[in-house]
Amino acid sequence: MGFPINRYRRLRKNENIRRLVRETTLSVDDLIYPIFIEDGQNIKKEIPSMPGIYRWSLDRINEELDEVVSLGIPAVLLFGIPSYKDEVGSDTWNDEGIIQRAIKHIKKNYPNLYVITDVCFCEYTSHGHCGVLHNHDVDNDLTLENTRKQVISHAKAGADMVAPSGMMDGVVKTIREALDSAGFYDIPIMAYSAKYASSYYGPFREAADSTPAFGDRRTYQMDPANRLEALREVALDIEEGADIVMVKPALAYLDIIRDIKNNFNIPLAAYNVSGEYSMIKAAGKLGWIDEKKVMMETLTSIKRAGSDIIITYFAKEVARILKNG
């Protein structure tokens, strides 16, 4: 038998043919950029474990947003660091809270930038957990009652989309009913449907001052060992009214992204989380990897696995590369 007729290297000969047959491509249209906004004045504070990522006060946030807009990034995901915390995270539904003021500022000054708000309590509670505590655990239904107030406050401030991240049972239905009853029918929900109790969140907790004062979040976030549970969570969120579903983290859960893509016909987001970002940054700084190439390969793998949307701290760097060809 002679040499095989198919020589796949024919289609790898040079960059032009590789571009023509490339199956997966990244676009700036795929990206959402997370931003941390801190209550206070004249704040531009780099997060030590996340080089290049900052906390911003509202009086300086335009420095960040001008670049985001100029790069063509379509959306931002807002996280607030308040000056006041209490047991229930009441600043989340304060109409003059840090996130509410940030939404108003962005919609006034950057009306075409799409604003998504993280809906949770961990940054706002004195104990760092994602809701109201009862017997040293988060009370699901009491937390849902406060979630209603939070999303209405975000909607009134002008949020384009809300993204509940606390993994409370019934949260999507609760939010959909709350928004609809207040007349906000057109605000979509991006559900953190498969959010795992991951060790990759460490740098974020430094960034958002959200480290739990005791215990961990395994009673409400998913066990990293579970796969089929993610499909059940996604199915329920869709049934309850989610417009977009999400997998978080992304890189260690590419199989989950593909499972969801294969089983559901709904836009799918993946969160390329802080630990994934920081590892690449650290290895790049030490010269162990080509940081930019690994960054692009990583995000391409997330897109290839099936994600339509990628939430990533690399968004600005990727957008610059794409803009420059």
Side-chain angles (χ1 to χ4, degrees):
M1 185 176 179
F3 195 90
I5 294 173
N6 292 319
R7 289 178 179 261
Y8 290 112
R9 290 183 60 191
R10 293 171 184 146
L11 301 183
R12 303 171 192 157
K13 187 71 174 176
N14 57 50
E15 181 59 16
N16 284 340
I17 188 59
R18 290 193 294 269
R19 286 171 57 198
L20 286 170
V21 300
R22 187 163 290 148
E23 299 173 27
T24 305
T25 56
L26 280 175
S27 165
V28 70
D29 298 335
D30 303 327
L31 306 176
I32 295 173
Y33 184 53
I35 295 180
F36 299 97
I37 303 180
E38 183 174 356
D39 210 358
Q41 298 289 319
N42 195 32
I43 297 169
K44 180 186 178 182
K45 185 187 304 178
E46 188 171 29
I47 299 157
S49 58
M50 299 177 69
I53 303 298
Y54 297 83
R55 290 187 188 180
W56 300 88
S57 54
L58 276 181
D59 59 327
R60 296 193 63 178
I61 192 62
N62 287 11
E63 297 173 38
E64 180 83 306
L65 295 174
D66 284 346
E67 187 175 18
V68 168
V69 171
S70 70
L71 289 169
I73 296 169
V76 292
L77 175 60
L78 303 185
F79 295 92
I81 298 96
S83 55
Y84 169 76
K85 300 187 180 193
D86 60 21
E87 286 291 304
V88 297
S90 62
D91 206 51
T92 59
W93 63 83
N94 175 4
D95 288 344
E96 292 304 315
I98 182 59
I99 282 296
Q100 289 80 354
R101 285 183 282 125
I103 297 166
K104 294 172 188 175
H105 174 87
I106 296 171
K107 297 313 293 184
K108 178 181 178 181
N109 293 282
Y110 305 89
N112 295 323
L113 186 61
Y114 199 81
V115 176
I116 307 166
T117 58
D118 178 71
V119 175
C120 196
F121 296 93
C122 57
E123 304 105 302
Y124 299 84
T125 54
S126 52
H127 46 73
H129 280 282
C130 298
V132 180
L133 292 184
H134 179 69
N135 292 331
H136 287 272
D137 194 11
V138 173
D139 186 296
N140 193 92
D141 294 4
L142 289 177
T143 299
L144 292 182
E145 289 304 310
N146 289 343
T147 302
R148 289 178 181 273
K149 295 182 280 188
Q150 183 179 170
V151 294
I152 293 300
S153 182
H154 288 191
K156 285 165 55 180
D160 294 301
M161 178 186 287
V162 294
S165 62
M167 288 296 287
M168 296 299 113
D169 292 336
V171 69
V172 173
K173 181 180 180 183
T174 296
I175 290 174
R176 189 72 271 157
E177 290 176 347
L179 291 173
D180 289 356
S181 66
F184 296 107
Y185 309 103
D186 293 333
I187 293 183
I189 300 169
M190 178 168 63
Y192 284 64
S193 300
K195 181 179 179 181
Y196 286 85
S198 172
S199 299
Y200 284 92
Y201 302 147
F204 174 91
R205 291 172 182 170
E206 178 185 15
D209 279 346
S210 62
T211 302
F214 63 89
D216 53 42
R217 298 188 173 121
R218 288 182 291 176
T219 67
Y220 43 102
Q221 295 176 0
M222 286 179 54
D223 186 335
N226 291 357
R227 173 172 165 254
L228 297 179
E229 183 185 2
L231 300 180
R232 296 195 295 270
E233 286 277 11
V234 168
L236 183 59
D237 282 353
I238 294 171
E239 181 182 335
E240 292 185 358
D243 301 280
I244 300 171
V245 296
M246 186 199 301
V247 176
K248 180 181 180 181
L251 192 55
Y253 299 86
L254 296 179
D255 59 324
I256 307 301
I257 294 171
R258 175 44 56 186
D259 280 344
I260 292 169
K261 193 66 175 179
N262 286 345
N263 284 276
F264 301 97
N265 184 22
I266 189 170
L268 173 59
Y271 201 139
N272 176 222
V273 299
S274 59
E276 298 167 4
Y277 173 88
S278 297
M279 288 191 299
I280 291 175
K281 284 290 180 181
K285 183 177 181 180
L286 290 169
W288 292 348
I289 60 171
D290 184 315
E291 181 183 313
K292 289 184 179 180
K293 287 183 178 179
V294 171
M295 171 187 72
M296 296 299 286
E297 183 176 341
T298 297
L299 297 187
T300 299
S301 76
I302 297 168
K303 182 81 180 287
R304 188 188 66 239
S307 180
D308 303 294
I309 299 163
I310 302 174
I311 304 163
T312 179
Y313 303 98
F314 286 120
K316 292 194 301 179
E317 295 176 65
V318 173
R320 288 190 206 104
I321 290 172
L322 296 174
K323 189 174 183 179
N324 294 326

